[in-house]
Amino acid sequence: MKVSDIMSTQVVCISHKASLKDAHELMQSRGVRHLPVISEFDSTLVGILTHKKMISTVMAMMHKYGGNALDRKERGQLVEDLMDTEFQKLTDDEPLTIVVEYFIENKLGCLPVVDTQGKIEGIVTSSDFVKLCASLLNK
């Protein structure tokens, strides 16, 4: 099996110039925990924003500035300043035996799938592996 067999192709992405407030609302409304961050200039993948990073930043802002200033502070914080820029990327033809090792060794929650130009094609999450396990166990 390959990455293309289990990856999600309906990926919710966000611009690197978006605000933390935009990311917060997008994660809530779309029910996602990982946002691939794409460049507004050429649509290439430039980072990943995780739910964990977003929540910890929001909580720190709330603690430091209080609830009344949270909305304003979230709007002033850019995604590009919070995103992880060091991350593993996949191609759609990589074998799942390699991918599962990435997840186990690095305790990753997601791995973006990119094409040869660095544009997002999909995403593989730990949930995708759980779904795969479930389908294999039910056979």
Side-chain angles (χ1 to χ4, degrees):
M1 292 186 86
K2 294 188 257 180
V3 166
S4 59
D5 296 321
I6 69 165
M7 72 181 194
S8 301
T9 56
Q10 300 297 313
V11 185
V12 179
C13 298
I14 195 161
S15 163
H16 74 290
K17 292 296 184 184
S19 72
L20 176 61
K21 181 70 173 179
D22 296 329
H24 192 165
E25 289 174 352
L26 190 57
M27 283 184 181
Q28 280 187 318
S29 67
R30 299 297 293 272
V32 296
R33 296 180 304 139
H34 310 95
L35 286 176
V37 182
I38 57 173
S39 168
E40 283 188 4
F41 307 118
D42 60 7
S43 299
T44 57
L45 180 67
V46 294
I48 299 284
L49 181 64
T50 64
H51 186 256
K52 182 178 178 180
K53 178 77 169 206
M54 188 267 307
I55 289 295
S56 67
T57 303
V58 168
M59 294 305 291
M61 286 177 169
M62 190 126 132
H63 179 71
K64 186 173 183 177
Y65 303 109
N68 293 336
L70 182 61
D71 186 67
R72 181 174 42 85
K73 291 296 183 182
E74 275 189 291
R75 290 184 193 286
Q77 179 71 61
L78 294 180
V79 167
E80 70 181 338
D81 297 328
L82 299 172
M83 67 186 187
D84 292 323
T85 56
E86 299 291 322
F87 55 91
Q88 182 66 43
K89 296 175 260 192
L90 302 172
T91 58
D92 66 355
D93 62 346
E94 286 194 65
L96 290 182
T97 53
I98 302 281
V99 179
V100 76
E101 291 301 319
Y102 291 144
F103 276 101
I104 292 169
E105 291 175 10
N106 299 299
K107 297 184 173 135
L108 300 172
C110 78
L111 288 165
V113 182
V114 296
D115 64 15
T116 55
Q117 288 81 41
K119 295 186 179 177
I120 192 94
E121 283 190 320
I123 194 167
V124 176
T125 66
S126 53
S127 295
D128 294 323
F129 273 98
V130 172
K131 290 174 192 170
L132 174 61
C133 288
S135 70
L136 293 173
L137 289 171
N138 288 325
K139 286 186 175 185

